[in-house]
Amino acid sequence: DTGVSQDPRHKITKRGQNVTFRCDPISEHNRLYWYRQTLGQGPEFLTYFQNEAQLEKSRLLSDRFSAERPKGSFSTLEIQRTEQGDSAMYLCASSLGLAGNSYNEQFFGPGTRLTVL
Amino acid sequence: AQKVTQAQTEISVVEKEDVTLDCVYETRDTTYYLFWYKQPPSGELVFLIRRNSFDEQNEISGRYSWNFQKSTSSFNFTITASQVVDSAVYFCALSEGLGGATNKLIFGTGTLLAVQP
């Protein structure tokens, strides 16, 4: 399977615990995105990497959230001191970013569903 | 400001009926991209189509067709002869800028399509 993969698929945690999610993008894709989707809503942008550089962060990404992409391949999203409001589906997407006017679509992983009790 | 509005929260049709999903967008950019994604019950977002702001040609792919009208800032999606397998949440999304920009996606709230046998 050469698509975007995410691990774990489901995570249940107690409020105040830390959690970490992993995303493995399509191998040749240099761009990686994290989105959050709450029930009944569309995905909302959290952060974006081009290779290993984190180039944009949404205001939704509070200080308790941190994302890394250390070698420009897989990425991790950590949430510290989880709150019930963090319960959501966390989606990762990747694309091949090219210079100039071209655009390549983002391919999404299956998501990690987080439940904070 | 960037915004995508999908006014139809839920649509229910009987198999073989045609159905149109509405999407209205707001952007100040002259160069932008519009998308439709499908999210079946399994949760993974599936890319359906991308259009850029310079191409207002309508597109047909099998039972799917898209009508892009810049004059009304709309990008509507029609499924002809709907099937039970079309049941899903459909998201319209907007991305601003050229290939060198972040290209983050701004999603609408989605339309839940239920196709009854």
Side-chain angles (χ1 to χ4, degrees), chain A residues 42-55:
Chain A
E44 296 173 292
F45 170 77
L46 290 178
T47 191
Y48 155 68
F49 289 86
Q50 180 154 324
N51 299 311
E52 66 275 9
Q54 187 175 21
L55 298 184

Side-chain angles (χ1 to χ4, degrees), chain A residues 82-94:
Chain A
T82 52
E83 301 172 356
Q84 288 184 327
D86 297 330
S87 295
M89 176 78 88
Y90 290 84
L91 295 163
C92 177
S94 71

Side-chain angles (χ1 to χ4, degrees), chain A residues 4 9 31 33 35 37 40-45 48 50 56 89 91 97-98 100-110, chain B residues 31 33 35 37 39 42-47 50 89 91 95-110:
Chain A
V4 178
R9 295 291 305 277
R31 295 184 169 200
Y33 303 79
Y35 294 84
Q37 184 178 18
Q41 300 297 313
E44 296 173 292
F45 170 77
Y48 155 68
Q50 180 154 324
E56 186 170 343
M89 176 78 88
L91 295 163
L98 302 174
N101 296 345
S102 61
Y103 182 100
N104 282 336
E105 55 268 20
Q106 297 176 27
F107 292 88
F108 283 81
Chain B
T31 301
Y33 300 86
F35 305 81
Y37 281 84
Q39 189 173 44
S42 60
E44 191 160 342
L45 280 164
V46 177
F47 167 79
R50 175 188 80 230
V89 180
F91 291 98
S95 177
E96 294 181 336
L98 304 177
T102 300
N103 295 137
K104 63 188 175 190
L105 294 171
I106 308 299
F107 285 86
T109 51

Side-chain angles (χ1 to χ4, degrees), chain B residues 6-11 20-22 36 88-92 108-113:
Chain B
Q6 294 180 256
Q8 302 153 308
T9 305
E10 291 186 39
I11 299 177
T20 296
L21 309 181
D22 297 333
W36 278 93
V89 180
Y90 290 86
F91 291 98
C92 181
T109 51
T111 298
L112 172 61
L113 174 64

Side-chain angles (χ1 to χ4, degrees), chain A residues 26-44:
Chain A
I26 294 172
S27 59
E28 65 269 24
H29 285 184
N30 56 345
R31 295 184 169 200
L32 188 145
Y33 303 79
W34 285 99
Y35 294 84
R36 182 175 71 185
Q37 184 178 18
T38 53
L39 202 60
Q41 300 297 313
E44 296 173 292

Side-chain angles (χ1 to χ4, degrees), chain A residues 6-12 20-22 90 110-113:
Chain A
Q6 292 187 246
D7 183 70
R9 295 291 305 277
H10 302 274
K11 178 70 177 179
I12 299 173
T20 300
F21 310 141
R22 177 181 170 121
Y90 290 84
T112 294
R113 183 170 295 283

Side-chain angles (χ1 to χ4, degrees), chain B residues 25 32 56 68-74:
Chain B
Y25 62 92
Y32 53 89
E56 283 192 75
F68 176 27
Q69 292 194 343
K70 288 178 74 172
S71 60
T72 56
S73 297
S74 66

